[in-house]
Structure formats: structure tokens, C-alpha cells
Amino acid sequence: MRLDYIEVCGFRGFREKVRVDFGAGFTVLTGRNGVGKSTLCDAVEFAILGEISKYTVESAAKETVRDYLWWRGEGSPNEYYVTASFLGDDDKPFTITRSRDGGADKTPDEIQAYLCQGAAPDDPLRQLCKTSVIRDEWIASLSLDLSETQRFELVRAALGSVEGADLASKAKSVVTLAEAACERVEASYTQARSLLQGGLVQLSEANDAANQSTDVSAAMASSTGRFPPKLESSLSGWTSLSAAFPAAGVGSKDWASPLSKVTKSGRIRTRTTRP
């Protein structure tokens, strides 16, 4: 498929009808600044999209880009329209005419079906114009203004997905699930850390109470219900030992020494004293 000809009338700086035919090979347009070379490129894009993407500002000072799409100079054109004609591999023409008053004579779906055959990227007509009508400002932007990542994103968007068009959405779903799982794990970790810190504080308080008390049973009773169930069960053994040691003739200073001491790191250091 190739561009066959462009015909404009009352478009931008062309008041009268002008037609430019393109050969099967290369066609070179020459002329001084302001004669309308870029306007012909604008005409192709406008015929396909109904807009010109190089104008990033849609409106300013109560005027819009569309106010400058058509002839604004002296005199009045006979008509206001843009025509872009293409030839397919079978040499059958496909012509798009877009006028100021009537719009396009082809629907976007019809234009896309003819110009974007096979696998197509997102917003294929816009990407077609972006990669086919290469303007000097695009060349400067690609070479100087954009970062490497931005250039890669631009090229990838233009090429689109040839295979597996849904891979991007699938990858995004996987990332979303992974982030949700990570948030749940972080919440569980924070809760467990909080419980551990609380248990260590309570254990330290109970250890201090046991060191200061001559009656381990009283110290254990004062801490009942302040520990997690498993720790409560382990510490309850000291209560039983406290009742057995006096019967064996062991003093309180002797049997109180094995009590655990909690270090700042949360580890337990013990010392065993045999009677």
C-alpha cells in the first residue's frame, strides 16, 4: 500500500485547489520556507485522523486549532476539503475525503481496516501517522529531548504487539497480585513484631520481679495472664519448682539464679546452679 495523491482546497495556506501525485518510487518536494511542504504532510494526517497531532495546544485566547485548519486569508476558496488517496497491492484506490462542513466520507473503522491490516498496536491510526509522517520536530525530540526509556516506549507503542497482545494486561495482573500478597505479609510481620516486643517487655518485668522477690510463686502469680499462652505454660514450671526447692533444703538465692535474663536483642541467657 502506498500514497497515490493528495488534493487540498481551502486548507491551511492553500486557497485554490492543489493536487500532488506521488510516484511508485520516491517523490521529493522542494521549495522555500512557507510554500506549503509541511502542509501536505498535515493534509495526510488530517485526512486520516481529522486532527493534526503536532499542535499540542488545543485552544488559546478563545481560539482553537481548528480555526487555523482552513484558509483565513483574503478571498474565499470554492471549497474546503482534503483528500488523500492510497493504492493497495492490487492497485485498487482507497480515497479519504474530509471536508470542513461534512467531515470524512469514511468511518474510522473503514480507514483502519484498509490501512492497518494484520496485527496492530493500540490506537493504530495515530501510530500509523506518527511513524509514517516523520516531522523534523520528531527527529529532534527522538535524538535530543527524550531519554532512552522514553524513546523505547515511543518505539514500542508504535510497533505494537505482534504476538500475545494481552501479555501486558496479564503481566499487570500478576504484578497487582504480587503487590497485594506483599502487603499482607508486611501487615502480618508488623503484627507479629508488635506482639513479640510486648512479650519481651512483659518477660523483662517478670524477671525483675522474680529477682526482687523471695517467693517465686508470688512473682509468677503477679505475671499470670500477661504472657502468650505458650510462654505462660513454660513459665508455670518455675512455680512448681519453687514449691519443691524449699523441701529439698535449697535457699531462695540458690534456686532463683537460673531465671532467664532478657538481653536487649531479645535472646535469653541462663545460668544453672546445682543444689
Side-chain angles (χ1 to χ4, degrees), residues 6-273:
I6 299 171
E7 186 174 291
V8 298
C9 183
F11 180 73
R12 301 289 304 271
F14 291 99
R15 186 182 66 180
E16 306 300 331
K17 181 175 73 173
V18 174
R19 172 170 169 153
V20 177
D21 293 286
F22 294 86
F26 290 96
T27 300
V28 179
L29 302 177
T30 63
R32 59 180 177 80
N33 292 341
V35 298
K37 300 185 301 295
S38 297
T39 298
L40 296 177
C41 296
D42 294 340
V44 176
E45 184 174 1
F46 182 72
I48 295 174
L49 297 177
E51 62 183 42
I52 302 175
S53 60
K54 73 175 182 179
Y55 299 113
T56 57
V57 179
E58 179 63 26
S59 62
K62 297 182 180 180
E63 292 186 323
T64 67
V65 172
R66 292 189 174 275
D67 294 329
Y68 290 85
L69 289 177
W70 307 104
W71 174 261
R72 290 169 57 97
E74 296 180 358
S76 299
N78 294 327
E79 296 180 89
Y80 295 87
Y81 69 88
V82 170
T83 297
S85 182
F86 302 87
L87 285 178
D89 295 337
D90 55 1
D91 286 335
K92 290 183 178 180
F94 180 80
T95 302
I96 308 169
T97 298
R98 193 179 295 271
S99 64
R100 185 184 67 173
D101 301 325
D105 62 348
K106 300 289 191 304
T107 66
D109 290 340
E110 290 174 331
I111 299 173
Q112 179 176 327
Y114 183 84
L115 299 180
C116 305
Q117 300 176 4
D122 296 335
D123 201 355
L125 293 178
R126 192 176 304 279
Q127 296 297 346
L128 173 65
C129 292
K130 185 180 294 186
T131 54
S132 299
V133 183
I134 303 176
R135 306 176 184 276
D136 54 354
E137 56 264 28
W138 268 108
I139 296 175
S141 178
L142 287 171
S143 59
L144 300 175
D145 300 337
L146 298 183
S147 66
E148 183 177 351
T149 301
Q150 290 172 322
R151 288 195 295 269
F152 173 77
E153 291 292 339
L154 177 64
V155 173
R156 185 176 66 176
L159 295 178
S161 302
V162 178
E163 295 181 358
D166 60 340
L167 289 180
S169 60
K170 289 182 178 179
K172 186 178 294 185
S173 299
V174 171
V175 171
T176 301
L177 292 175
E179 290 176 345
C182 182
E183 291 177 357
R184 291 195 296 270
V185 171
E186 288 180 350
S188 299
Y189 167 76
T190 302
Q191 183 179 11
R193 183 176 180 179
S194 177
L195 292 174
L196 178 60
Q197 289 176 342
L200 291 175
V201 171
Q202 294 174 359
L203 182 59
S204 178
E205 293 175 352
N207 184 53
D208 292 341
N211 288 334
Q212 297 173 6
S213 175
T214 58
D215 187 353
V216 176
S217 298
M220 293 302 174
S222 66
S223 64
T224 300
R226 300 173 63 184
F227 301 103
K230 291 185 178 180
L231 185 58
E232 187 85 36
S233 176
S234 299
L235 293 177
S236 65
W238 288 104
T239 304
S240 300
L241 290 176
S242 67
F245 283 157
V250 180
S252 60
K253 294 182 179 180
D254 295 325
W255 53 259
S257 60
L259 285 175
S260 303
K261 294 184 178 180
V262 180
T263 65
K264 292 183 179 179
S265 62
R267 297 186 177 182
I268 299 176
R269 183 177 71 248
T270 61
R271 185 182 66 195
T272 303
T273 303

